[in-house]
Amino acid sequence: MFLSVIILAAGKGTRMNSSKPKVFHEIANYPLLYHVVDSIKQLKPNSFNIVISNEIAEKTKEISKLYKDQNLKFSVQKKQLGTGHAVKCVKDLRYVNINDVTLILFADTPLIKINTLKKLVLKCKNKADLTILAMQPEDPKNYGRVMLKKGMVEKIVEFSEATPEDKKISLCNSGVMAVKTKLLLDFLTHLNSNNSKKEFFLTDLVDIFVKNKKTVVYHKCDYEETLGVNDREDLHHINNIFQKLKYQNLSKNGVSILDKNSVYFSYDTKIGKDSVVYPNVYFGKNVKIGKNVKVKSFSNLEDVYIAENCEIGPFARIRNHTNIEKDTRIGNFVELKKSKISQNVKISHLSYIGDASIDLNTNIGAGTITCNYDGKNKNKTEIGENCFIGSNSSLIAPIKIKKNSIVGAGTVLKNDVSRNTTVFRKSTLVKKKNMKSK
Ligand code: UD1
Ligand code: CA
């Protein structure tokens, strides 16, 4: 089957009250649009179309680059004249066989499961000419209502056009549909905007299909999957659901999350078996954690790889391509930036380690700072294996401390240290009687 997909992403998103297009608002640190494109990718469509507004047009290069293996085609809908009009804007609709299907869905609906979409497409291919994805929420709000006759779909009535009687119908339209491409092309031209909103409703296709003796059926899925974003409260609500699903998934895979309500995951957070996440931890984008790692409370991780058996935090901040090898301990109030920390290193308290590499078995004392910035450039600190850096030392980069060396506590160090060497500042303690106590 030749599968075409159309994602509608041209809506104004007025209720977001934002200068950013709605589909670039994020769930779990990832734009709504990308959540949808990522799921569609798994269906391996032959033709992948996105309908966008003028304001997104400048972003198409960026999107194509991100999905360079997908051959995305963008169609601009200059005026938002409705979902039916948006589909009409797609230039590249094709079919090879009479049973080829086009799947149409919205970019602001990120929770739909891939299995649901597969079922919808197959149902359309095998049993119908048009299949709509329906749901039955407790409160049908202002969703379009699905009217049935003998189990088949007869019509979708938009809320704006519905009579009080229609509004009593509890089966609602999710907005997603799968349709035989040939028939879509034949009947799209029949859509008109003779309604109270003066919009071309895609949902009018149902009526047109039925009147032309075509089969229209529905597939029902969980309401939760069909939730869409209209305003910031929806965004928050859907984000919470995404967090819940991520929590369930990680738990199933053997991760212990001690308080699901206070941990925040990104869409791509990966955590290995038997790891434990304590309350109040934030996972920014691109965090991969190995097996049996403890991430303790109030840690903030972003763009970091942590290998197995490490202990992180509480109150650790780790960011920018930091790589931590196994059996390492990063303690409280430690910030690591763009650093490579080898196996069995200990940085247990109150340190800033930036643009640094620290080799095997080295111990970094409390209060150690890599002075990586000279006002113009960021410079590197390299510390070899089996070193001991005494507490409260300032290592002024660029600097190399070779293996098996010791830096005494409170040392301000500007020069490299060769291997097997101990360095410390010799300062005399001045002792005087206090004038007052005379
Ligand atoms: C739509 C359905 C309604 C369904 C509801 C589910 C229609 C006519 N109605 O209504 O039956 O219950 O979704 O949430 O389809 N868009 C464009 N161009 C436009 C208008 C919209 O690209 O000119 C895109 C939007 O970006 C959005 C999607 O289409 O992603 C849905 O548009 P929206 O205006 O939110 O439709 P609803 O009124 O919610
Ligand atoms: Ca909507």
Side-chain angles (χ1 to χ4, degrees):
M1 181 185 52
F2 187 95
L3 178 70
S4 303
V5 172
I6 302 174
I7 300 178
L8 303 187
K12 287 195 209 86
T14 330
R15 280 184 281 163
M16 292 301 287
N17 193 11
S18 171
S19 50
K20 184 159 72 176
K22 177 164 81 178
V23 295
F24 284 98
H25 282 267
E26 298 184 342
I27 298 287
N29 292 316
Y30 201 49
L32 286 167
L33 175 64
Y34 297 172
H35 280 276
V36 178
V37 175
D38 279 7
S39 338
I40 295 300
K41 253 172 68 172
Q42 302 174 53
L43 294 175
K44 301 194 172 66
N46 306 89
S47 160
F48 199 153
N49 305 278
I50 306 179
V51 182
I52 54 168
S53 60
N54 270 327
E55 22 165 19
I56 302 176
E58 60 194 38
K59 290 232 180 201
T60 52
K61 261 198 191 146
E62 185 186 321
I63 306 170
S64 299
K65 201 171 151 196
L66 194 67
Y67 291 101
K68 46 180 180 292
D69 51 333
Q70 289 300 313
N71 192 21
L72 300 179
K73 297 212 171 63
F74 296 93
S75 310
V76 178
Q77 185 191 25
K78 289 196 180 118
K79 269 193 174 168
Q80 276 64 58
L81 301 177
T83 48
H85 179 259
V87 173
K88 279 185 180 189
C89 292
V90 178
K91 291 157 281 184
D92 195 53
L93 268 190
R94 282 176 294 139
Y95 60 94
V96 181
N97 291 307
I98 205 85
N99 281 332
D100 290 345
V101 171
T102 295
L103 172 68
I104 304 172
L105 70 171
F106 301 160
D108 58 8
T109 309
L111 297 175
I112 297 187
K113 295 196 174 115
I114 192 72
N115 256 345
T116 303
L117 294 175
K118 276 183 187 161
K119 282 181 192 155
L120 188 78
V121 166
L122 280 181
K123 209 162 182 177
C124 179
K125 179 178 178 272
N126 298 326
K127 293 188 183 149
D129 297 311
L130 170 61
T131 310
I132 61 152
L133 186 65
M135 79 291 190
Q136 210 149 14
E138 253 169 52
D139 173 8
K141 297 187 207 170
N142 53 355
Y143 290 115
R145 303 297 206 266
V146 181
M147 293 172 79
L148 301 179
K149 198 175 175 184
K150 292 183 185 155
M152 307 286 258
V153 182
E154 208 194 8
K155 196 179 161 98
I156 295 176
V157 191
E158 283 307 307
F159 187 78
S160 58
E161 318 303 309
T163 63
E165 204 52 35
D166 296 335
K167 286 178 189 166
K168 287 183 190 156
I169 299 173
S170 62
L171 191 65
C172 296
N173 175 33
S174 70
V176 184
M177 63 167 72
V179 51
K180 297 262 164 78
T181 311
K182 180 186 181 314
L183 297 174
L184 175 67
L185 288 167
D186 288 350
F187 292 124
L188 258 184
T189 49
H190 294 215
L191 291 178
N192 62 52
S193 58
N194 300 334
N195 51 57
S196 68
K197 288 174 114 179
K198 302 274 168 284
E199 279 185 14
F200 293 86
F201 294 151
L202 184 64
T203 43
D204 283 350
L205 271 186
V206 173
D207 192 40
I208 296 168
F209 269 55
V210 170
K211 283 187 175 138
N212 285 278
K213 308 258 178 301
K214 304 296 170 207
T215 336
V216 186
V217 299
Y218 70 96
H219 176 75
K220 202 167 106 178
C221 71
D222 271 352
Y223 173 46
E224 194 173 89
E225 288 183 50
T226 70
L227 288 172
V229 174
N230 294 305
D231 56 29
R232 294 195 190 240
E233 281 191 41
D234 292 338
L235 196 69
H236 183 260
H237 182 54
I238 290 177
N239 189 49
N240 282 345
I241 294 173
F242 189 91
Q243 295 296 328
K244 178 192 79 181
L245 295 171
K246 192 84 193 174
Y247 157 78
Q248 288 171 345
N249 198 276
L250 287 165
S251 303
K252 208 171 68 194
N253 291 329
V255 181
S256 286
I257 292 146
L258 302 189
D259 176 22
K260 64 177 178 188
N261 295 319
S262 67
V263 174
Y264 193 95
F265 301 106
S266 283
Y267 72 104
D268 60 351
T269 305
K270 292 199 175 63
I271 306 177
K273 234 185 195 172
D274 292 319
S275 288
V276 184
V277 180
Y278 287 57
N280 291 299
V281 172
Y282 176 83
F283 294 98
K285 257 192 257 187
N286 197 25
V287 174
K288 288 193 187 71
I289 293 179
K291 289 182 200 162
N292 199 33
V293 171
K294 286 194 174 76
V295 184
K296 296 190 170 173
S297 299
F298 302 101
S299 294
N300 184 312
L301 315 181
E302 183 161 13
D303 196 8
V304 45
Y305 173 76
I306 300 171
E308 62 201 69
N309 303 327
C310 290
E311 217 176 295
I312 308 293
F315 295 97
R317 180 170 187 219
I318 312 181
R319 59 194 178 97
N320 288 46
H321 295 311
T322 290
N323 198 316
I324 300 174
E325 288 179 8
K326 62 181 182 179
D327 306 324
T328 283
R329 158 110 183 91
I330 307 298
N332 29 225
F333 305 104
V334 171
E335 178 177 355
L336 302 178
K337 189 214 90 176
K338 215 176 181 177
S339 291
K340 190 181 165 303
I341 315 292
S342 288
Q343 198 180 332
N344 200 32
V345 165
K346 288 186 177 51
I347 313 175
S348 297
H349 338 259
L350 300 149
S351 281
Y352 171 67
I353 306 294
D355 306 293
S357 67
I358 300 179
D359 220 337
L360 288 181
N361 306 327
T362 282
N363 187 89
I364 307 287
T368 298
I369 305 290
T370 54
C371 310
N372 60 331
Y373 186 51
D374 58 16
K376 272 191 193 144
N377 300 307
K378 298 279 168 70
N379 301 303
K380 287 201 167 133
T381 300
E382 291 171 42
I383 305 176
E385 58 185 80
N386 289 316
C387 286
F388 185 95
I389 310 295
S391 293
N392 221 18
S393 294
S394 303
L395 311 177
I396 301 176
I399 190 167
K400 287 182 187 158
I401 299 167
K402 300 276 177 61
K403 66 178 184 183
N404 303 327
S405 292
I406 299 174
V407 175
T411 305
V412 175
L413 196 62
K414 231 177 135 182
N415 306 100
D416 292 354
V417 176
S418 39
R419 58 167 73 176
N420 308 321
T421 307
T422 297
V423 293
F424 58 94
R425 283 240 175 248
K426 212 169 142 193
S427 57
T428 0
L429 185 70
V430 181
K431 224 174 169 186
K432 270 205 293 192
K433 268 273 184 274
N434 195 339
M435 296 293 280
K436 275 189 187 161
S437 59
K438 266 184 185 171

